């Protein structure tokens, strides 16, 4: 009899800075659950997201393809139904696939391979947030980030995001109970995706109080004057309307404090889910993956949020917990969340045939077994708000190369210069390294064609959005359907059967 495939629990959080997880949670974070999970996991300590923005990164995470291949360039670009995701591949192989929480799918398909979606999304599914590169100086006030998240940092007992993540955790736990008591005929892949610690920087007081004044490290690269910022960073400053906000050191400290507090809040929620997994006796058969969609600059260099190739924005935590299969250890070689799909296929022993040729990630099975990632190059893209042309980044070994349209090239040695303050691109001593990494760029991208594809996509979507907002409007947002007449006790059911079936474990088990 063939061995049962492992269950998979994917936990994704939103905007978690990978430099705060250098090898599991940094020592200053109050996160006992994640710390223990890290100690028992294979930890990929230098992992990059495919694009430092929600929708592009998440679509790439699902599909194992860069945004230039998925067409999800920004937070309002449609994720095509014809692109297979890990949920499709797992479901095709017999897995139950469910999503509780955010995935920021844009378009009428709000499932992308998930058999069930347990909550709605927290962000809109239409084309309203489409950037317009024909108006590079225009700031779109109604949806662009601004620094209000920083000036309004503090505490609250309920917010839009707290309401959402409380619901995400509740439905995730309920689904685990359902797997345990009636759905064990097929392995499951449950994806649980929270919206914290994404700004606004507002936390419940019980978590805020875990971080008294002085308990967080200071900024490593304090404010760089606007005039001395690189060209793209200046665009991000302008996009966030920085001239109309006066940030004080107290506001910066409060924002970072709330951010840390919300990581502790997530730690509690993740702890609840992992305890439920254990209570349902599913923990031994379940591989757990923990990661984020992108990071947050958190005031470093004066920058906030993401949309940058600096490590605070583009690096994420990534760990795989399967201590009975793989010896826990840290892997320092650069990796990507694009690697998740091929890795899951190997873990579940699924052959996707010629579709593997479409992937931009590499399986991490060799690294899980004590070796290295098979591809030494990691690739990242960005083509959304705050940019005026496609931006690409490659990381190989110690070096990171960033190319953005006609902006000056950036080259950093991340080992000697982890804070990326010394641009080596014009240093003759590093000309050969720059040339090698530029070859890596040329191998993967035709930047002129990429630019044209993004602009044409924007034009199409802006036209469609305007049209669909005239007359009758039918939203694409996911509407969770609960069959209330099939829950709890109803008169077409046998009460004895209902009570017995709903119990786990049953008496004597």
């Amino acid at each position: 009899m063939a061995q049962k495939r492992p269950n998979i629990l994917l936990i994704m959080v939103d905007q978690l800075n990978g430099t705060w997880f250098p090898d599991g949670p940094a020592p200053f974070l109050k996160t006992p659950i994640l710390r223990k999970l890290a100690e028992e996991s294979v930890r990929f300590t230098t992992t990059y997201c495919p694009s430092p923005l929600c929708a592009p990164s998440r679509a790439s995470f699902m599909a194992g393809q860069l945004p230039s291949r998925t067409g999800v360039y920004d937070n309002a670009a449609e994720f095509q139904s014809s692109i297979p995701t890990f949920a499709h591949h797992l479901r095709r192989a017999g897995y139950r696939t469910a999503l509780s929480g955010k995935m920021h799918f844009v378009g009428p398909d709000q499932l992308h391979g998930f058999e069930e979606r347990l909550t709605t999304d927290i962000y809109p599914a239409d084309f309203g947030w489409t950037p317009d590169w024909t108006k590079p100086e225009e700031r779109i006030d109604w949806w662009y980030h601004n620094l209000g998240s920083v000036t309004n940092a503090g505490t609250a007992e309920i917010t839009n995001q707290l309401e959402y993540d409380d619901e995400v955790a509740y439905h995730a736990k309920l689904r685990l109970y359902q797997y345990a008591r009636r759905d064990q005929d097929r392995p499951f892949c449950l994806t649980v995706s929270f919206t914290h610690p994404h700004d606004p920087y507002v936390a419940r007081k019980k978590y805020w109080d875990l971080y008294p004044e002085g308990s967080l490290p200071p900024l490593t690269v304090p404010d760089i004057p606007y005039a001395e910022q690189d060209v793209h960073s200046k665009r991000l400053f302008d996009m966030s309307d920085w001239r109309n906000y006066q940030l004080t050191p107290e506001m910066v400290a409060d924002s970072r404090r709330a951010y840390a507090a919300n990581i502790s809040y997530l730690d509690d929620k993740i702890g609840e889910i992992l305890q439920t997994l254990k209570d349902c006796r599913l923990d031994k058969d379940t591989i757990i993956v923990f990661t984020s969609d992108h990071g947050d600059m958190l005031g470093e260099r004066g920058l906030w949020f993401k949309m940058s190739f600096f490590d605070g924005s583009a690096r994420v935590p990534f760990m795989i917990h399967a201590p009975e299969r793989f010896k826990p250890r840290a892997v320092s070689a650069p990796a990507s969340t694009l690697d998740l799909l091929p890795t899951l296929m190997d873990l579940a022993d699924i052959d996707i045939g010629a579709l593997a040729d479409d992937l931009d990630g590499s399986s991490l099975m060799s690294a899980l077994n004590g070796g290295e990632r098979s591809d030494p190059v990691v690739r990242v893209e960005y083509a959304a708000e705050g940019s005026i042309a496609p931006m690409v980044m490659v990381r190989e070994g110690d070096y990171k190369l960033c190319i953005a349209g006609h902006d000056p090239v950036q080259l950093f040695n991340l080992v000697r210069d982890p804070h990326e303050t010394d641009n080596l691109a014009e240093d003759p001593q590093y000309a050969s390294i720059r040339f090698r990494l530029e070859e890596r760029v040329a191998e993967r991208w035709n930047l002129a064609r990429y630019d044209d594809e993004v602009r044409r996509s924007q034009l199409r979507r802006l036209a469609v959005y305007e049209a669909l907002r005239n007359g009758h409007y039918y939203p694409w947002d996911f509407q969770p359907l609960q069959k209330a007449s099939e829950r709890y006790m109803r008169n077409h059911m046998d009460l004895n059967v209902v009570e017995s079936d709903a119990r786990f474990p049953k008496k004597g088990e």
Side-chain angles (χ1 to χ4, degrees):
M1 183 176 179
Q3 184 178 5
K4 181 177 179 287
R5 289 181 163 122
N7 299 317
I8 299 164
L9 174 62
L10 297 176
I11 301 174
M12 174 173 262
V13 298
D14 198 332
Q15 204 160 293
L16 182 49
N17 183 324
T19 69
W20 281 33
F21 271 63
D23 183 12
F28 59 82
L29 289 171
K30 312 297 183 183
T31 52
I33 301 300
L34 286 171
R35 197 171 309 284
K36 183 174 187 296
L37 190 72
E39 290 169 355
E40 298 173 351
S41 298
V42 179
R43 307 171 302 279
F44 295 88
T45 63
T46 313
T47 299
Y48 289 91
C49 64
S51 183
L53 193 68
C54 296
S57 184
R58 289 166 179 271
S60 292
F61 163 82
M62 292 287 301
Q65 298 177 338
L66 285 162
S68 56
R69 202 189 296 262
T70 65
V72 184
Y73 307 122
D74 52 62
N75 275 343
E78 182 178 6
F79 190 14
Q80 297 178 42
S81 296
S82 58
I83 298 176
T85 67
F86 66 71
H88 286 112
H89 293 307
L90 292 170
R91 184 174 173 182
R92 188 181 179 200
Y95 273 77
R96 298 183 184 273
T97 56
L99 169 63
S100 181
K102 171 182 176 179
M103 204 50 76
H104 205 156
F105 295 143
V106 174
D109 183 354
Q110 288 294 302
L111 292 174
H112 289 283
F114 288 113
E115 190 174 350
E116 298 176 279
R117 191 159 185 186
L118 310 178
T119 71
T120 190
D121 213 304
I122 195 169
Y123 285 156
D126 61 22
F127 297 158
W129 291 0
T130 302
D132 187 352
W133 282 359
T134 67
K135 303 172 183 176
E137 304 302 324
E138 180 179 86
R139 179 185 150 71
I140 309 174
D141 288 328
W142 72 274
W143 66 266
Y144 269 19
H145 263 86
N146 62 48
L147 295 178
S149 290
V150 181
T151 60
N152 291 312
T155 62
E157 292 311 304
I158 192 66
T159 65
N160 190 44
Q161 295 190 174
L162 286 166
E163 177 184 349
Y164 187 78
D165 278 350
D166 286 349
E167 182 181 352
V168 168
Y170 167 79
H171 282 288
K173 291 185 291 181
L174 180 60
R175 195 65 191 85
L176 288 173
Y177 286 130
Q178 290 167 348
Y179 285 137
R181 61 190 177 183
R182 66 168 181 260
D183 289 338
Q184 294 200 47
D185 56 317
R186 295 157 57 194
F188 69 78
C189 175
L190 174 61
T191 300
V192 185
S193 185
F194 295 100
T195 192
H196 283 94
H198 192 293
D199 63 291
Y201 306 115
V202 181
R204 285 185 174 137
K205 191 172 186 301
K206 65 176 286 189
Y207 300 106
W208 174 272
D209 289 344
L210 293 174
Y211 298 91
E213 186 176 347
S215 61
L216 295 179
L219 294 170
T220 54
V221 184
D223 284 2
I224 297 174
Y226 178 83
E228 299 175 18
Q229 295 278 356
D230 64 89
V231 178
H232 178 63
S233 294
K234 286 180 180 178
R235 285 194 290 266
L236 296 182
F237 265 77
D238 294 340
M239 197 192 80
S240 65
D241 201 20
W242 68 283
R243 292 179 179 87
N244 288 320
Y245 292 85
Q246 297 297 319
L247 303 190
T248 66
E250 291 75 22
M251 292 172 183
V252 171
D254 284 351
S255 298
R256 290 165 64 85
R257 182 178 183 179
Y259 183 86
N262 281 328
I263 297 173
S264 293
Y265 160 77
L266 287 172
D267 194 70
D268 268 5
K269 291 298 170 188
I270 292 168
E272 292 174 14
I273 293 167
L274 297 185
Q275 185 61 49
T276 303
L277 189 75
K278 184 176 182 180
D279 293 343
C280 291
R281 305 174 185 175
L282 296 168
D283 53 319
K284 300 299 182 184
D285 297 328
T286 301
I287 294 170
I288 303 167
V289 179
F290 175 79
T291 192
S292 179
D293 56 353
H294 52 75
D296 188 325
M297 290 301 293
L298 291 172
E300 296 287 354
R301 316 172 73 93
L303 293 169
W304 291 89
F305 322 125
K306 55 271 187 179
M307 301 168 281
S308 166
F309 288 152
F310 290 121
D311 268 19
S313 165
R315 251 181 71 188
V316 296
F318 187 38
M319 50 197 190
I320 297 176
H321 180 273
E324 295 184 1
R325 292 169 175 256
F326 309 113
K327 182 179 179 181
R329 71 185 189 106
V331 179
S332 61
S336 170
T337 55
L338 290 167
D339 301 336
L340 178 74
L341 189 152
T343 303
L344 290 180
M345 297 306 100
D346 280 350
L347 289 169
D349 193 24
I350 297 171
D351 182 2
I352 62 173
L355 289 172
D357 297 338
D358 295 338
L359 301 181
D360 292 308
S362 302
S363 174
L364 297 173
M365 281 298 288
S366 175
L368 288 170
N369 285 306
E372 296 295 333
R373 182 177 184 265
S374 58
D375 185 351
V377 182
V378 168
R379 300 165 181 85
V380 183
E381 302 176 354
Y382 187 73
E385 63 264 26
S387 65
I388 58 174
M391 302 168 52
V392 298
M393 184 203 103
V394 290
R395 172 78 193 264
E396 182 175 14
D398 297 349
Y399 293 92
K400 174 197 287 188
L401 180 78
C402 306
I403 295 178
H406 297 293
D407 296 354
V409 173
Q410 293 178 303
L411 175 66
F412 300 107
N413 182 320
L414 274 297
V415 173
R416 295 181 182 175
D417 177 29
H419 306 308
E420 301 169 269
T421 57
D422 184 14
N423 183 6
L424 306 172
E426 303 303 326
D427 188 330
Q429 295 184 59
Y430 296 90
S432 61
I433 293 170
R434 173 175 170 173
F435 179 76
R436 185 184 79 235
L437 294 181
E438 286 178 335
E439 285 187 317
R440 299 282 188 252
V441 169
E443 289 167 2
R444 178 59 186 80
W445 292 288
N446 179 324
L447 293 178
R449 184 173 63 202
Y450 188 5
D451 184 275
D452 181 66
E453 289 170 350
V454 173
R455 292 176 187 276
R456 298 298 300 176
S457 172
Q458 291 176 0
L459 285 172
R460 291 192 299 269
R461 287 181 281 136
L462 289 167
V464 169
Y465 180 71
E466 187 174 345
L468 294 184
R469 284 287 171 157
N470 274 328
H472 177 68
Y473 174 65
Y474 187 83
W476 292 337
D477 308 295
F478 184 70
Q479 312 289 340
L481 176 64
Q482 286 195 349
K483 296 181 180 178
S485 61
E486 298 299 320
R487 300 187 70 201
Y488 306 119
M489 177 61 206
R490 300 293 183 261
N491 280 331
H492 64 283
M493 304 173 183
D494 183 318
L495 177 60
N496 299 303
V497 173
V498 168
E499 298 295 354
S500 176
D501 286 352
R503 182 171 175 172
F504 179 85
K506 292 179 171 54
K507 187 175 181 179
E509 289 185 349

